[in-house]
Amino acid sequence: MAAFSAFSVANEAREVLFAPTPFYINGESIPSAVLTALAIRDVLALALSIACLIVYLNFCFDVVSTQSIFTRKQCRRFLVVGLLLLISSIVSITFDNLCAVQLPNDVSITAIGIFGFNAWTLVLALFALSLSAIFEYGRLLQSDVDAII
Amino acid sequence: MPIVMRLDRVMADRKMSSQELADIIGISPVNVSRIKTGRLKGIRFSTLTAMCEALHCKPGDIIDWMSDEEYIEAFGSLPSDED
């Protein structure tokens, strides 16, 4: 998960900083609103990737320092990450449909894929939410075991 | 129907401190205190056996049961579910 987050951060950073700006498709200039949407998408994706990476690194640090992984803070971290990814998936679907009306008639949405619904984001969101539920159950079991002397 | 721990009485009779008992049993003094005050959800048979051997007593000397009325009369109120 850390490797995936790090890869996402690097990829999004590359797109934000170094990717060439597409101005024309099929001889038609792309509306500035669409270009702005592309830029916003890249920045948001970069921010989300960095957030996921930071959350995961904090998780690893806490595990090493406290020797306990089933804590309320860890559960909340996975819940926040899962919700962020889920919201990102929903936003990408919504904006994908909104940006479609901005394009010239002969350019299909798949040619640009403004936000482009990413199934992996949804899968990761469900995975993070599941982890949060599992860690919450583990926290309850841990507290029961700790209370038995 | 709460369970009441009588470890403090037995320790006083044997004139044994929490630190001494903790060292003999192999648990921390904090856990001995938790047993004395009843702030635990359970006790392992191994721990109970070690306590009985150290204090030369039976489990019934350490663990007691009181009805709700008796507990309220002795301690003022019933223990919360977290105890």
Side-chain angles (χ1 to χ4, degrees):
Chain A
M1 197 165 170
F4 181 80
S5 294
F7 174 76
S8 294
V9 169
N11 194 39
E12 294 303 331
R14 180 187 61 80
E15 291 209 5
V16 169
L17 297 174
F18 303 113
T21 306
F23 288 112
Y24 298 97
I25 288 186
N26 292 345
E28 296 276 347
S29 64
I30 298 176
S32 59
V34 172
L35 291 175
T36 306
L38 277 172
I40 293 174
R41 179 207 67 176
D42 289 339
V43 170
L44 285 177
L46 176 62
L48 186 61
S49 300
I50 292 174
C52 290
L53 184 61
I54 290 173
V55 165
Y56 189 73
L57 289 175
N58 280 333
F59 164 73
C60 294
F61 179 74
D62 278 353
V63 168
V64 171
S65 62
T66 65
Q67 302 297 321
S68 174
I69 60 173
F70 296 117
T71 61
R72 197 182 293 273
K73 195 192 287 187
Q74 307 289 25
C75 300
R76 214 169 283 159
R77 281 198 180 119
F78 282 116
L79 184 65
V80 167
V81 168
L83 289 175
L84 280 176
L85 290 170
L86 191 63
I87 290 170
S88 170
S89 298
I90 294 171
V91 166
S92 70
I93 297 172
T94 307
F95 275 88
D96 206 11
N97 293 327
L98 288 177
C99 288
V101 299
Q102 299 284 334
L103 297 173
N105 291 333
D106 58 347
V107 177
S108 67
I109 190 66
T110 56
I112 297 182
I114 301 300
F115 278 83
F117 171 66
N118 188 349
W120 276 112
T121 307
L122 186 60
V123 168
L124 276 178
L126 295 175
F127 178 69
L129 292 173
S130 304
L131 269 183
S132 175
I134 290 169
F135 271 63
E136 176 64 25
Y137 181 66
R139 187 187 68 80
L140 291 174
L141 289 180
Q142 185 72 57
S143 68
D144 278 346
V145 168
D146 289 343
I148 297 174
I149 300 172
Chain B
M1 292 180 282
I3 297 292
V4 180
M5 302 301 291
R6 303 293 188 190
L7 181 61
D8 51 348
R9 289 187 187 176
V10 178
M11 286 172 63
D13 289 343
R14 307 292 188 271
K15 293 184 174 52
M16 186 179 290
S17 67
S18 297
Q19 184 64 53
E20 288 173 350
L21 183 61
D23 291 339
I24 294 171
I25 295 176
I27 62 176
S28 66
V30 172
N31 282 337
V32 172
S33 172
R34 289 171 67 194
I35 295 173
K36 281 165 63 176
T37 56
R39 287 183 293 113
L40 71 171
K41 289 187 180 178
I43 188 165
R44 295 188 178 89
F45 281 157
S46 58
T47 306
L48 189 58
T49 302
M51 281 200 306
C52 292
E53 286 177 352
L55 296 168
H56 303 288
C57 65
K58 293 191 175 179
D61 299 331
I62 301 175
I63 303 173
D64 194 7
W65 174 84
M66 277 184 169
S67 66
D68 290 350
E69 292 77 20
E70 289 173 338
Y71 194 92
I72 292 172
E73 189 178 335
F75 300 103
S77 62
L78 289 174
S80 61
D81 288 339
E82 292 177 356
D83 288 342

